[in-house]
Amino acid sequence: MDSFYLYSGSRFEGKQGNGKASYPVIIELKTVDLVHSRFTGYLHISGLTQEYPQLTTYFDGEIIGKHFSFVTNKWDATESVDLEYWSQFPEFHEIAHRWKIANSDDFDDKDHLFMRWKEDFLVPDHRVTSIVGASFAGFYYMKYSKSNGMFSGYYYHPKMIDKLQPLELRYVRERCSATFEFC
Amino acid sequence: DVQKWMGGELAESSVNALGSDDRDQCLKAVRSIKNATIGSNSKKRLYTNLGVIPKLERLLSSGDEELITQVVATLGSLINGTNPDSLKQIIESQIPIVLIQLLNHKSLKMVEATARTLKIFFRKPNAPHQLIFEERTLSGLVNLIKYTPENIAELAATILASFYTSRSYLEKSELLDRMRTYQTSLWASGAFEASMKLLFSNQTKVINAKSQESALRIVGFLSFMNLDICKSIAHHAKILDALNKLIRDSSPIIKLLAASCIANLSRCKIDTIVPLSDSATVAVVLKLLHTSDPEWIREEVPAALAHILIENEDLQRMVVDSDAITILISNLRDESASPSLIQSSLKALAAITELLEDGRRKVIDTGILPTIASFLENTSIGIRLAACDCIRSLSRSVKALRTALVDLEITPSLFKLLDDESVDIQTIALAALCNVILDFSPMKKMALENSGIKLICYKTSNSNVTIRMNAVWALKNLVFMAVPELDSLYPSGESIACACHI
């Protein structure tokens, strides 16, 4: 049930930001490894900057539970930042009192999963390290709903003025699906 | 140079004397050639060029024990050098077969001399190791281990174990099948019981160490990925006790070989108490990575590690979290590293990065990739294969495909390897290409533009079943998330047609 919408090639579309400053986003998952609580994908965002009206980044996804803790402990995110962002999700409150020691059992019978998404490099040219007017140095705190394949979350960057930039995505239904395997 | 000229003349006359009817003159000539060539590569080359080898071969059938013993020792001297010509001539002659037959001789002195020469011979990677696995040869060697004095027993065991030591075995695919056949023959010959005898006998210290080493190599070879044999071995409580003791031995090589045996038994997951847990075994081997005494153990440890890690994610994790990667990378960067050390280290890296993304990223972050790519063109098959296997392991990462491997421009090298002389290399190169041509790989377009599809399709009708499978796998990955404009790169219907042929 967990993986119904999470598979290589699945697509989700939605937007990042609020009101006038909101941008269409599409993500495509590339590899999904629930055993190791990881997945990878591309994130396409439109209209963010003039130089890059279409911007695609590669990102790594970490699913909180067996292998990854709610405590980020990297990417300039302190525990207070963690708490501030995770607390944006109502579902987090059930587990807030023991958030530091949560493991996969806590999510087995729930409809949601918590994740972090970290963008790593630009696609197609991974050598570009910075873009004017956009940054992928931060990361996303995300929640995923197993029953309807919806993602919602917030982008965090330590130097950003516009904190708690929201991101919402829904699953895009396909008529057929593809599969691949690493050899 | 008068001395050189005199030496040349003397040599020629010695070689001529080998054909003499006068037995004493002949014997004198053989002795003189033997003494001249021991320790001198230039003399070995000189005599070989003067045609000494065919003449020595003829003398092997003289029936004269003393003469033959000297001839055998001389051949040992000629093999034991750096001159590839001497070795080549001997391999291409009947000498190996005749020597093996001489192991059955009633004179122990002859047997010992022959075994000594064969031990040197089979240490060479190019030697025809399959000769050892003829039934009569196997049983002959096993008898020598069981019934002759310790010095000859040790030599016989080492010859038997040299298939393992030659490192020509244990690559993927076809060789694994061949290995199974060899394991079966070896087991049937009683080599295991003979090895047990060596592990438990009271011998002089030096010989004991060498015998133990060979015995452990034999047991290690027998037990590698062979469930039936492991089950049989596990019944012998004595061997488990012995391994438990030997992994704590002071000799690094004994420790290493014992660890490999334990890991082999453990992998088969039989219901017997295996001496040491997997992680404890790996801990022993990881510690040995820091050993460089004797020097050649540096070459053995990474290869042993690679074998232990096969298909075991937990152990790979353990090694990724250690300093092993740092050591292996520095081996590859060591300018004085021997080909064996390079091959061994590459093998270990391929195994470490096989299953875990963290391992791949850690290796890539060291910047070693260009060095690994350069080994794809090495003259040694073993090195090319191990390097290709590394690339294949690393290509299982989306991130690597989009970053480090792109920078490497690896695709043309991989396509070139599809035509390598080694079938195993072709197989692994094709496997790496399977991943390279995935849609999210920027190398896909390049791969296809250069007649890539044609080449891959061609492989779908290859005689080797693994190659066929990998080729079809490649085509399957090709159509994953295929984008419309790629249709123009496909020859008309060819890809579908050849896929249908399977």
Side-chain angles (χ1 to χ4, degrees), chain A residues 8-9 11 28 30-31 35-36 38 40 42 58 60 120-121 123-124 126-127 178-183, chain B residues 313 358 361 392 395-399 401-403 407 431 434-435 438 440 470 473 476-477 480-481:
Chain A
S8 317
R11 288 160 61 98
E28 287 169 30
K30 296 300 175 186
T31 60
V35 169
H36 295 105
R38 297 170 103 135
T40 64
Y42 290 172
Y58 161 96
D60 281 311
D120 199 341
F121 53 86
V123 174
H126 69 97
R127 280 168 278 210
T179 174
F180 84 91
E181 251 183 285
F182 281 125
C183 188
Chain B
E313 193 181 299
D358 286 342
R361 292 195 186 182
R392 184 245 197 128
S395 71
R396 289 175 168 173
S397 156
V398 177
K399 178 172 174 176
L401 286 172
R402 286 229 64 106
T403 57
D407 291 344
C434 280
N435 302 332
L438 281 163
F440 38 75
N470 285 356
W473 198 322
K476 183 182 89 155
N477 278 359
F480 174 70
M481 306 286 280

Side-chain angles (χ1 to χ4, degrees), chain B residues 472-489:
Chain B
V472 175
W473 198 322
L475 292 176
K476 183 182 89 155
N477 278 359
L478 197 66
V479 300
F480 174 70
M481 306 286 280
V483 176
E485 66 248 22
L486 285 170
D487 284 340
S488 59
L489 292 171

Side-chain angles (χ1 to χ4, degrees), chain A:
Chain A
M1 195 53 218
D2 276 12
S3 60
F4 191 71
Y5 301 103
L6 298 176
Y7 56 87
S8 317
S10 62
R11 288 160 61 98
F12 300 77
E13 63 182 18
K15 64 180 169 49
Q16 176 165 335
N18 274 321
K20 269 212 204 135
S22 95
Y23 309 92
V25 171
I26 297 177
I27 68 163
E28 287 169 30
L29 299 189
K30 296 300 175 186
T31 60
V32 176
D33 181 0
L34 295 175
V35 169
H36 295 105
S37 311
R38 297 170 103 135
F39 56 96
T40 64
Y42 290 172
L43 188 150
H44 309 277
I45 186 165
S46 309
L48 197 59
T49 75
Q50 266 196 330
E51 199 191 343
Y52 288 88
Q54 301 291 330
L55 196 65
T56 305
T57 54
Y58 161 96
F59 72 91
D60 281 311
E62 303 175 341
I63 301 174
I64 310 301
K66 185 171 179 205
H67 295 100
F68 298 100
S69 157
F70 276 114
V71 181
T72 304
N73 203 19
K74 53 191 172 188
W75 306 327
D76 291 322
T78 60
E79 282 185 24
S80 71
V81 169
D82 284 337
L83 262 181
E84 184 193 343
Y85 277 70
W86 291 128
S87 301
Q88 302 298 319
F89 305 105
E91 295 86 352
F92 178 74
H93 297 298
E94 302 177 41
I95 203 169
H97 61 285
R98 36 187 294 276
W99 71 293
K100 286 193 194 181
I101 53 169
N103 57 52
S104 53
D105 291 341
D106 293 300
F107 307 103
D108 276 346
D109 58 350
K110 300 281 193 297
D111 181 47
H112 53 270
L113 289 174
F114 292 99
M115 314 168 158
R116 274 184 294 264
W117 296 1
K118 178 75 185 80
E119 294 166 286
D120 199 341
F121 53 86
L122 274 191
V123 174
D125 191 352
H126 69 97
R127 280 168 278 210
V128 175
T129 48
S130 66
I131 305 165
V132 176
S135 161
F136 53 92
F139 66 97
Y140 294 87
Y141 289 86
M142 300 297 295
K143 181 195 80 175
Y144 167 74
S145 300
K146 300 176 195 173
S147 54
N148 58 15
M150 292 205 50
F151 285 109
S152 68
Y154 303 91
Y155 180 67
Y156 167 74
H157 187 297
K159 298 195 174 66
M160 229 166 64
I161 307 161
D162 196 7
K163 298 248 185 221
L164 288 171
Q165 230 193 57
L167 173 66
E168 307 240 323
L169 301 157
R170 83 193 68 79
Y171 173 70
V172 176
R173 197 160 297 278
E174 295 176 305
R175 263 181 289 149
C176 57
S177 67
T179 174
F180 84 91
E181 251 183 285
F182 281 125
C183 188

Side-chain angles (χ1 to χ4, degrees), chain B residues 146-176:
Chain B
K146 283 180 170 168
Y147 305 123
T148 61
E150 58 182 28
N151 53 340
I152 299 179
E154 181 269 310
L155 292 168
T158 307
I159 294 169
L160 206 51
S162 59
F163 185 77
Y164 185 107
T165 342
S166 77
R167 296 185 195 99
S168 64
Y169 86 107
L170 202 66
E171 314 304 347
K172 320 250 161 134
S173 73
E174 287 188 333
L175 274 172
L176 215 56

Side-chain angles (χ1 to χ4, degrees), chain B residues 330-454:
Chain B
S330 78
N331 287 350
L332 293 183
R333 291 199 167 122
D334 182 354
E335 274 170 8
S336 62
S338 67
S340 291
L341 180 59
I342 302 283
Q343 181 180 337
S344 181
S345 304
L346 285 169
K347 266 182 165 164
L349 285 171
I352 293 171
T353 52
E354 186 198 0
L355 298 174
L356 295 172
E357 182 68 16
D358 286 342
R360 294 175 203 131
R361 292 195 186 182
K362 202 167 168 182
V363 170
I364 291 175
D365 285 345
T366 65
I368 195 65
L369 232 50
T371 308
I372 295 180
S374 71
F375 288 127
L376 290 176
E377 301 183 349
N378 196 277
T379 48
S380 148
I381 287 183
I383 290 182
R384 286 202 303 281
L385 180 64
C388 197
D389 211 10
C390 272
I391 300 290
R392 184 245 197 128
S393 285
L394 294 170
S395 71
R396 289 175 168 173
S397 156
V398 177
K399 178 172 174 176
L401 286 172
R402 286 229 64 106
T403 57
L405 289 173
V406 171
D407 291 344
L408 218 46
E409 295 179 13
I410 202 77
T411 316
S413 312
L414 291 174
F415 268 106
K416 198 159 153 226
L417 291 174
L418 287 185
D419 283 322
D420 196 279
E421 57 179 306
S422 154
V423 168
D424 291 307
I425 291 178
Q426 289 178 25
T427 311
I428 307 284
L430 189 50
L433 279 167
C434 280
N435 302 332
V436 162
I437 63 176
L438 281 163
D439 176 64
F440 38 75
S441 163
M443 298 173 274
K444 176 177 188 172
K445 195 147 178 266
M446 194 210 314
L448 301 182
E449 275 165 357
N450 292 311
S451 318
I453 287 229
K454 271 211 176 105

Side-chain angles (χ1 to χ4, degrees), chain B residues 37-157:
Chain B
T37 56
I38 286 179
S40 165
N41 278 318
S42 56
K43 286 277 159 56
K44 292 182 219 258
R45 202 166 31 242
L46 170 66
Y47 279 96
T48 302
N49 290 340
L50 287 172
V52 75
I53 290 170
K55 294 202 153 84
L56 288 172
E57 184 177 356
R58 242 170 273 139
L59 291 175
L60 281 177
S61 41
S62 65
D64 182 328
E65 261 179 48
E66 196 186 351
L67 183 60
I68 293 176
T69 307
Q70 290 300 315
V71 168
V72 165
T74 311
L75 286 168
S77 163
L78 288 167
I79 294 167
N80 196 24
T82 56
N83 184 18
D85 242 350
S86 315
L87 183 61
K88 188 165 178 275
Q89 281 188 31
I90 291 173
I91 290 176
E92 290 172 356
S93 70
Q94 292 294 304
I95 292 174
I97 296 177
V98 174
L99 289 177
I100 289 174
Q101 281 164 356
L102 283 175
L103 287 176
N104 296 322
H105 204 275
K106 55 181 169 20
S107 153
L108 280 185
K109 193 161 170 230
M110 172 102 84
V111 170
E112 185 176 348
T114 308
R116 217 170 278 286
T117 294
L118 281 174
K119 173 180 167 177
I120 299 168
F121 179 61
F122 282 117
R123 231 194 249 141
K124 301 287 177 181
N126 299 345
H129 294 92
Q130 68 277 8
L131 288 179
I132 299 175
F133 286 88
E134 313 264 312
E135 203 185 309
R136 285 209 348 222
T137 314
L138 279 180
S139 54
L141 287 167
V142 167
N143 284 339
L144 289 179
I145 297 174
K146 283 180 170 168
Y147 305 123
T148 61
E150 58 182 28
N151 53 340
I152 299 179
E154 181 269 310
L155 292 168

